[in-house]
Amino acid sequence: MEQFFLRSNGHNIGQKSAPANESGLIDLFLKHVNASPQHPAIITPEHTVNYAELAQRASALAICLQERDIDYEMPVAILLPPGIENIICQLAILWSGGSCVPLDPGLPDTRLSYMLQNLAVDVILTNKSARRDDLPGRQILLENITPPAGAKQPISHYKLQQHHRSHILFTSGSVGRPKAVEIEARGIIRLVLNTHYVSFSTTDRVAAIANPTFDASLFEVWGALLNGAAVVIIPKETVVDPWLFASALQQYSVSVMFITTALFNLVATTCPQAFRYLNTLLVGGEVANRATLIKVLNSAPPRHLIAVYGPTECTVFALSCELHSAEEVSEDVPLGLPIDNTCAWVLDNQQQPVAAGVIGNLYIGGEGVARGYWNQPELNHRHFSTFQTEGESQPQRLYFTGDLAWQRDDGMFMFAGRLDNQIKIRGHRVELEEIEHQLLESELLQAAAVCVIKSSRAEPYLIGFIVPVLPNRFAKSEIELWLKQRLPGYMLPRMMVVNSLPMTASGKIDRRRLLAEFQQKNCLTPADFDTQHNESVILRIWQEVLDAPELTLDDDFFQWGGNSLQAARVVTEVGRSLGRRVSVQNLYDAPSPRWMALSLQHDEAGKPQDPCAIMRNDSRLPPDIQPHASPLTASRNVVLLTGASGFLGAFFLRDLLLQHDTERVICLVRAASNAEARLRLKQNLQQYGLWQPAFDGRIEALVSDIAQPHLALDKVSYEHLAQQCDLIYHLAAHVNYIQPYSAHYAANVLGTLNVLRFAVKGKTKPLHYVSTIAVFGPASLLSPVTRIYEGDDLAPFLAGMQYASGYSQSQWVVEQLIWQAKERGIPLAVYRPGFITGDSESGAGNPSDFIARLIKGCIKLGASPLLFNQRDEFVPVDYVSAALLHISRNHANLAKAYHLVPPDPEQSVDFNAFFELLNQCGYPLQPLSYTEWLARLEADQSAENPLTPLLPMLSEAVYRQKTRWELYENMPVYDARNMKLATEEMSFPPFIPMNHPLLMRYLNYWRATGILT
């Protein structure tokens, strides 16, 4: 087996606990039997069993098993509910040398039969109430076991060493078949004996609330029996009633307990003082609810509250973190640090450690790592690898958890999601845990679970099942607003309020049951439709596109989570069904079926307001934005940057940080916390290969929303930042190819007004604004224009802007505001890039921009549109970033605009030549007229084609039967005199035009990263 070498960073390896002299589980148990025979070992509401009696009954059963020829490590099933008999069976099986296989009597016969046959189980320990007649194997009824005559003792298999396979536990499998995990005794011993993360004593009472088939039961039972403490078995009906549960904990003087996150949330929300008498409470199993933890910490916490993490394959717990106060969970709850005799690593896909803050794959090693999966060599090969780790003489086996994680600078491991919970929504990779985390952060919910719905009728979408803290006072709009302020649109789930979340036998959220109940409800047949009535036709289309039979005539498309792809389908289907043209603007103006029907009916009677009049009205600079009286300084120590989480923003942030005179870059980021904002920035640079460890101390990430007053900062922080900051780079913009101007107004127009207000607050700060050459719209449409100069007035282009995209319209308005600010004396400059392509050196590009979508979409169709005399100003992102930085370093370059386009117009490429380059690069595309190409795209119209969401823009005729894209014929030359003069001394990087080598570099990068096949 291939081996890898790992060097420790000092936080990867847990403490070494004192060895147990290689004793096995039974030997360690018997030490307490001999030392304190009358001490309680198991306590239930009906009975108490001391250590002597427990050992005697287990010994009797062990002799019975040995008489039935139980061989070394032979799997023996335990088909019993939680209780004294279950624990006796475990002891007896180990005493006789076998391996315990706990099974749940509540499972269906077919599943139990599969488990028994999979392990070739011959002996099943059960009782009269739990027995099943149709199961394979010999069933031994405990009622029929009689103590042996005399003082006969079992054969001394209990001398088994710590590598003895003590338990086989089943976990869920990816193909619907449970996997059998082989646990060794040493994993249990390292979990509960001589540990540093949790302390046991003989006076402890350890609650047993887990099903014995769940790995947490190993902590409960053996944590008590190997330390001379007592197991307190609390019935399930008591556990699920928070008030009864709290009473039972106090009644039985429970001092140590593990509880799953789902159950903890339920109890803590209902009865937060339930845990106040506990010495140690461990919480884990799922993502922790920070708000619930804080509630317990602030009300009546246990003496020790510990967050724990670990898969079954690593024997219950691998990482732990004690939470002392609410301040410690002010942000994300850590997974923790490795527990005793355990190690943890965050590795990349080449099995090499990653730097702090970088997300990678979480691996666990140490004595808790299971032997493997029973009889599944391929699965074992994928999940268990051998590594040579620093400080260890022998190679170690590490388990690949399938979880994503990263390490803080203090070494603490942080959760970042699961690989198998990474789903694709509208082309974006989404972590379900991140959405659940944000839901719980609202403190409006006691529990939440997010699932993906896959339907043959519609594209996949997210559904959030939520349990409000105060159901009678809860409004879904509150939580929806909370999420909208923190997550991008594609991560917003539909909300379904439920009374509670069902739990599995192991205490985790039962997502399968949630989905089954939802899909059963969603399969209800919608009411009959009047196909002659426009309202009914539109409603039927919306229900099919959104996969929502319950949707009504007055429901809002966007409040139901409608996205660009679904908007494209709605517009297309409504237009086809009604036999008329329907635009996306119609959908935004009338976002319910009833409104849309009325709007379409009265289109001619009441024409919509002139878009040019709206833009003209919005382009008046408010009088409060006036220049500051202080002089302009040359200092560049502290820079404010917006848009750093974008594509150009990543490269520009890298270039800023490489400047010796830039001490600190303050980035405004939409996120839930400053820590999350910082992580997003780091990940953004990493995905393009730009991150350097030296950047770490010079980036400050602030949670912000530039569309909000004071940039969504508190007044003190806002004023302090305005005084600190030396200059501003405003790169942030909302860009959507089909949304109208109204959808871009807040982020782009209001956002820029707020940035201008910040620029004149505190002290004079130059503003460098990144616009676009699209600000001129289809410049040659209404009157011939052969060349556009950088200083040209934008006003003459307004008439043509009514046919431009909503994004371009917003940029026209923003630039009008910017130039009025310049006339008032505010120091600024404007930069208008052409179409920004990938890095000319690495090939790293933006997989979601228009050209990337166009390339992937045309390859999928096997065809390209013929577009005559359509120039495109392709400019590599590293060149744009370098030019922006170089020009902005000289204050003499203020008060001007700069076209960041190919320096020589001959270097521009039209689309037909670009498609020919694609042919030369190995992607032969059939040239079709635009109409034919569009018809092929409309016939395809699959969620897999990245052009499908752009169909409204690509297909809607906006002027003389031509679409927006077709209007950009005979485009003028964008004169770049200012740019060329200002960059004369810029030697690197050189401008590289779009040609065969550069396009191959881009394509190779996309193939290497899986963006293109």
Side-chain angles (χ1 to χ4, degrees), residues 18-55:
N21 301 319
E22 293 299 318
S23 299
L25 293 172
I26 296 299
D27 198 17
L28 292 167
F29 164 68
L30 289 176
K31 289 181 180 178
H32 294 289
V33 173
N34 296 329
S36 306
Q38 302 306 312
H39 192 77
I42 307 174
I43 300 171
T44 74
E46 298 83 18
H47 305 287
T48 296
V49 177
N50 61 37
Y51 271 82
E53 182 184 354
L54 180 60

Side-chain angles (χ1 to χ4, degrees), residues 477-590:
S477 57
E478 290 183 80
I479 194 67
E480 288 168 346
L481 178 61
W482 170 272
L483 281 191
K484 283 179 182 178
Q485 294 172 343
R486 289 159 175 81
L487 294 176
Y490 61 85
M491 292 180 72
L492 299 177
R494 300 179 194 175
M495 299 297 179
M496 176 170 284
V497 177
V498 293
N499 293 327
S500 62
L501 298 182
M503 286 187 281
T504 64
S506 61
K508 296 186 179 182
I509 297 171
D510 192 340
R511 296 172 190 270
R512 290 184 181 178
R513 184 173 159 191
L514 279 172
L515 285 173
E517 291 174 355
F518 172 79
Q519 288 167 344
Q520 182 180 9
K521 178 182 178 182
N522 219 33
C523 285
L524 296 176
T525 305
D528 292 336
F529 288 104
D530 176 5
T531 56
Q532 303 302 313
H533 201 292
N534 285 359
E535 287 183 351
S536 295
V537 171
I538 295 171
L539 177 60
R540 175 181 55 79
I541 292 170
W542 285 30
Q543 289 176 337
E544 290 178 355
V545 170
L546 293 173
D547 191 31
E550 68 272 34
L551 195 141
T552 70
L553 285 169
D554 296 308
D555 282 324
D556 188 292
F557 176 83
F558 300 103
Q559 288 181 1
W560 268 82
N563 56 58
S564 298
L565 176 60
Q566 292 166 328
R569 284 189 58 195
V570 163
V571 168
T572 303
E573 291 298 324
V574 170
R576 184 177 295 144
S577 298
L578 300 184
R580 56 161 299 162
R581 195 192 109 192
V582 179
S583 71
V584 173
Q585 185 70 55
N586 292 127
L587 180 59
Y588 275 86
D589 291 343

